[in-house]
Every structure is written in structure tokens, then in C-alpha cells.
């Protein structure tokens, strides 16, 4: 299982390099099902892995002028504050047993996996639909920021990131195109910078709350970083839209599988 886990770690980076997102949605299932990490720790580990991989991936985008720093700061600040607060205070405050319906007990771990799987389903739908962004503009257009919407979206994405440990690129990219009027390529590059900052800063909110397996954490992150370089190289030769669609279907199947698996195992343990 561990060998499969390390191969999957490469795929996390490969996906980020190829389609500018989606990799983070694989990280938690890989950690939980292939490495046997408990779901709450897996969401913390995922923040470090996704954050460090995105940070490395953003450098070539920045050199190609595909990162808009002003937008990253405006969107990133509420997002970073929300993700840090979520990891430092909200997640530790969730009780081990959240609620029960008869014999069926909804635990903290079950709630996090179900919430994550639902997010996977939403992410997959946005990848499969892959409609051309109607708000996309050209490089030289004057930017008009919809500040209230950017701040609100930044905060929502931050809380979601904090709860489930996913970067949320599939939420950030459309928001940047619609509310900041960024061209698509700039939205992808800027999204990577936001994901890197909020994931790594959010992860620091966990350092006082749990013991980290640094060997596992650094080895998975290193493989994901190798994957992002391979993905960046391949992205020049492969059609991103067909890849994105195929990956979307894979994520959809995974999301449904996790929901069924978690609910069935919880139901079995209740009887």
C-alpha cells in the first residue's frame, strides 16, 4: 500500500503541473487510505504537501508573468486569516462525536471525510463541465476589483481549506476570473500562489495541536514536487482540457466511493 501511496504522491504534483489544480483533492484520500493516517491529521498533512508543492510550482508561472501579485494579496489575506483560525481553533473545538441518529454516530473523522468527498464531487463537476470562462479578459484590460465579493470568497475558501485540507483551486480560479477580471492563465498562476500561502500558513495553526510524522510528510511532499516538474513539462505537449475532463471523472468516482465507503463502515460499526 505504501508503494501505491508514493506513486499516488507523484500524481498529486503531476496534476498540479498539468492542469493547475486538482492535486490537492487527491492528497487526503492518499494519506488516509494508502498511508493509514487518521482523517484529522491527514487534512493537516495535506496543507503542508499542497502548500509546498504549489510554492515550487508558482515559480515558473511568476517568471512567465502569469502571477498577479495585487490580486493574490487582496484575495489571499482573508483566505489566510480564515484558514489559520480554522486550523488553530475551529478544528480542535469539534467534538470526537459530533451527533448521533439512533445507533448511527457521526464522528469528527467521518464528518471530515464526508465533507471532503462532497467537495470532491463539486470539484469534479467544475472540471468535467470545463466551460470557457465567460469573464476571461485579455492581458491589457484594466482590472476592476469587486472587493466585497473577493473578500467574501477569500474567507469562504479559507474556512473550507482549513476544514478539509484541500487547496481549493477549483473555487479560486473562477473567482479570480469573475471578480478580478484576470485572464485564465494569470488566474491559474495567481491561484497557485494563494494556495501556497494559505496552505502553509494554515498548517502552522496545527503545529501546537498534533504530533507530525515529518518523514512521511517530507517524502510525500518531495515526490509531489517531482511530479509538478514532470507535469509542467508535459503541459506543453498535452491538451489540458481533455486531461482536466478525464481527471474530473476520476475525482467524481473517488468522491462517490469515499461517501459510500465511510457511510457503510460507520453503519456497520453502529450495529
Amino acid at each position: 500500500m505504501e508503494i501505491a501511496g508514493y506513486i499516488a504522491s507523484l500524481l498529486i504534483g503531476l496534476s498540479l503541473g498539468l492542469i493547475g489544480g486538482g492535486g490537492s483533492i487527491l492528497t487526503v484520500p492518499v494519506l488516509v487510505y494508502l498511508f493509514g493516517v487518521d482523517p484529522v491529521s491527514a487534512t493537516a498533512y495535506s496543507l503542508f504537501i499542497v502548500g509546498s508543492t504549489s510554492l515550487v510550482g508558482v515559480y515558473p508561472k511568476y517568471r512567465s508573468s502569469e502571477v498577479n501579485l495585487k490580486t493574490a494579496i487582496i484575495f489571499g489575506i482573508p483566505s489566510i486569516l480564515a484558514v489559520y483560525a480554522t486550523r488553530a481553533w475551529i478544528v480542535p473545538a469539534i467534538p470526537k462525536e459530533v451527533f448521533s441518529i439512533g445507533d448511527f454516530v457521526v464522528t469528527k473523522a467521518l464528518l471530515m471525510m464526508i465533507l471532503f468527498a462532497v467537495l470532491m464531487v463539486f470539484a469534479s463537476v467544475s472540471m468535467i463541465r470545463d466551460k470557457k470562462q465567460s469573464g476571461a479578459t485579455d492581458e491589457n484590460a484594466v482590472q476592476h476589483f469587486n472587493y466585497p465579493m473577493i473578500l467574501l470568497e477569500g474567507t469562504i475558501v479559507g474556512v473550507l481549506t482549513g476544514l478539509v485540507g484541500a487547496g481549493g483551486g477549483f473555487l479560486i480560479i473562477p473567482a479570480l476570473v469573475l471578480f478580478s477580471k484576470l485572464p485564465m492563465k494569470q488566474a491559474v498562476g495567481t491561484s497557485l500562489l494563494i494556495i501556497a500561502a494559505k496552505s502553509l500558513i494554515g498548517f502552522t495553526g496545527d503545529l501546537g495541536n498534533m504530533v507530525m510524522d515529518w518523514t512521511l510528510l517530507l517524502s510525500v511532499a518531495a515526490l509531489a514536487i517531482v511530479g509538478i516538474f514532470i507535469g509542467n513539462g508535459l503541459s506543453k505537449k498535452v491538451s489540458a482540457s481533455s486531461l482536466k475532463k478525464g481527471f474530473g471523472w476520476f475525482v467524481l468516482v473517488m468522491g462517490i466511493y469515499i461517501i459510500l465507503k465511510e457511510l457503510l463502515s460507520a453503519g456497520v460499526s453502529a450495529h
Side-chain angles (χ1 to χ4, degrees), residues 238-261:
V238 190
S239 155
S241 61
S242 53
L243 261 171
K244 196 172 187 178
K245 203 160 278 194
F247 186 73
W249 282 109
F250 170 70
V251 170
L252 178 64
V253 171
M254 280 283 293
I256 293 166
Y257 167 76
I258 291 170
I259 291 170
L260 293 174
K261 183 182 186 301

Side-chain angles (χ1 to χ4, degrees), residues 66-150:
E66 288 172 19
V67 176
N68 186 306
L69 290 176
K70 184 182 177 185
T71 307
I73 291 164
I74 293 167
F75 191 100
I77 287 171
S79 203
I80 288 164
L81 292 174
V83 74
Y84 182 86
T86 305
R87 292 311 301 186
W89 300 299
I90 296 172
V91 172
I94 299 169
K96 282 213 165 143
E97 290 189 5
V98 184
F99 64 90
S100 57
I101 304 162
D103 292 336
F104 188 83
V105 179
V106 176
T107 61
K108 181 178 185 173
L110 174 66
L111 182 71
M112 287 191 130
M113 287 309 288
I114 295 292
L115 186 62
F116 189 84
V118 168
L119 206 63
M120 283 181 87
V121 171
F122 277 109
S124 71
V125 171
S126 82
M127 286 177 194
I128 293 162
R129 280 167 67 194
D130 193 34
K131 61 179 186 294
K132 293 278 172 277
Q133 297 288 352
S134 55
T137 51
D138 69 88
E139 303 287 332
N140 305 314
V142 178
Q143 262 194 289
H144 296 289
F145 290 96
N146 183 340
Y147 288 105
M149 289 306 293
I150 293 172

